[in-house]
Amino acid sequence: MSDRISLTIDGRQIEAEPGQTILEAAEEAGVYIPRLCWMKGLSAFGSCRVCTVRVNGRPQSACTQPAAPGMVVENDTQELRELRRSLIDMLFIEGNHFCMFCEKSGDCELQALAYRLGITAPQYPFMFPQRELDATHPEIFVDRNRCILCGRCVRASQELDGKHVFGFVGRGAGKKVAVNAESGLGGTDAAGDDEAVAACPTGSLLKKRVGFAVPVGQRRFDHQPIGSEIEQAQSEE
Ligand code: FES
């Protein structure tokens, strides 16, 4: 007897293991659900809402909602694409994301999602916040202007690196990622090869001196939209 769960996503029947979230089940079936704060190998955080889907008609975050038998999930609809566009738009205007000058361009998940969702210019006015930089670490540079508060560095530091380098402080518009040393990142036990640095989806945490090791034009999202690898893996099976 199989324990597999059967559900539908955008009218297609897929299967899930008990305990899998909708996002994980969809990914295994070759269906890409846009996401930002979720990362494979980390606990789900459920904060960005970019993965919002409709489950039996109700909005839910696909990265935290477990798959259940008979669920009817809507993912790629006009309404949800517009919701995601608005969320991405807001992330762009509330930080300082100057893609053309950013070392992470072509490798940035925020930028890649904007392209995938067809955003050419934000619909809201820019806020141009003044945020702190931290260059105190010999190998890592922190630019909070590009931070989207996804918490991936916080979780990766704890769950993958076994450290507690990053954490959130403040609330509302004053919320930011802090490090566990008063003198800045250089006073922590962070290392350039920490998973926490690699987990950053934007150019907020960057390893120094390797920014252009892969030339612009040859980066992850330069040739195909984000999520294509998930869709292709299924079509090649
Ligand atoms: Fe699900 Fe961020 S990816 S809430």
Side-chain angles (χ1 to χ4, degrees):
M1 200 178 86
S2 165
D3 287 342
R4 302 277 285 177
I5 292 166
S6 178
L7 62 153
T8 65
I9 181 156
D10 291 336
R12 192 181 135 204
Q13 189 159 343
I14 66 166
E15 292 205 328
E17 295 286 346
Q20 264 186 331
T21 61
I22 295 171
L23 188 145
E24 289 165 336
E27 178 147 338
E28 215 171 271
V31 177
Y32 173 66
I33 298 178
R35 75 294 295 267
L36 266 179
C37 69
W38 184 86
M39 194 184 115
K40 200 172 254 167
L42 294 182
S43 58
F45 190 43
S47 70
C48 75
R49 313 316 271 190
V50 170
C51 69
T52 300
V53 290
R54 279 196 181 270
V55 179
N56 300 338
R58 299 178 61 166
Q60 304 274 0
S61 60
C63 72
T64 54
Q65 183 67 37
M71 263 182 173
V72 177
V73 180
E74 295 165 72
N75 170 46
D76 192 20
T77 66
Q78 179 73 11
E79 179 218 13
L80 291 169
R81 280 193 295 273
E82 267 162 32
L83 171 81
R84 291 168 186 153
R85 259 198 287 272
S86 291
L87 292 170
I88 299 293
D89 249 8
M90 286 190 268
L91 290 174
F92 267 101
I93 59 100
E94 67 160 26
N96 293 308
H97 300 278
F98 305 116
C99 299
M100 63 295 269
F101 307 119
C102 180
E103 285 176 52
K104 192 85 175 225
S105 185
D107 224 358
C108 168
E109 293 178 33
L110 180 68
Q111 179 195 44
L113 266 174
Y115 281 133
R116 175 152 181 151
L117 293 168
I119 297 173
T120 48
Q123 56 184 311
Y124 306 113
F126 285 102
M127 294 169 74
F128 297 124
Q130 300 272 324
R131 297 206 189 126
E132 296 158 17
L133 309 178
D134 181 346
T136 56
H137 194 284
E139 295 173 64
I140 309 161
F141 180 65
V142 185
D143 185 347
R144 292 186 176 82
N145 290 292
R146 301 167 181 160
C147 179
I148 56 170
L149 300 175
C150 65
R152 279 164 49 165
C153 60
V154 177
R155 284 171 287 147
S157 182
Q158 293 174 10
E159 297 170 18
L160 304 179
D161 298 325
K163 303 178 182 179
H164 289 79
V165 173
F166 302 98
F168 287 122
V169 294
R171 304 176 63 160
K175 186 173 175 179
K176 64 177 185 177
V177 168
V179 298
N180 69 353
E182 277 181 23
S183 56
L185 192 63
T188 71
D189 58 350
D193 289 329
D194 278 358
E195 296 293 339
V197 180
C200 179
T202 70
S204 186
L205 279 182
L206 289 171
K207 204 169 164 190
K208 290 180 178 175
R209 295 180 290 278
V210 295
F212 294 96
V214 178
V216 171
Q218 295 176 26
R219 299 176 174 196
R220 246 188 326 163
F221 307 123
D222 282 337
H223 299 295
Q224 57 176 18
I226 190 168
S228 307
E229 68 290 352
I230 294 167
E231 294 154 343
Q232 276 163 12
Q234 179 68 12
S235 64
E236 282 162 11
E237 274 181 13

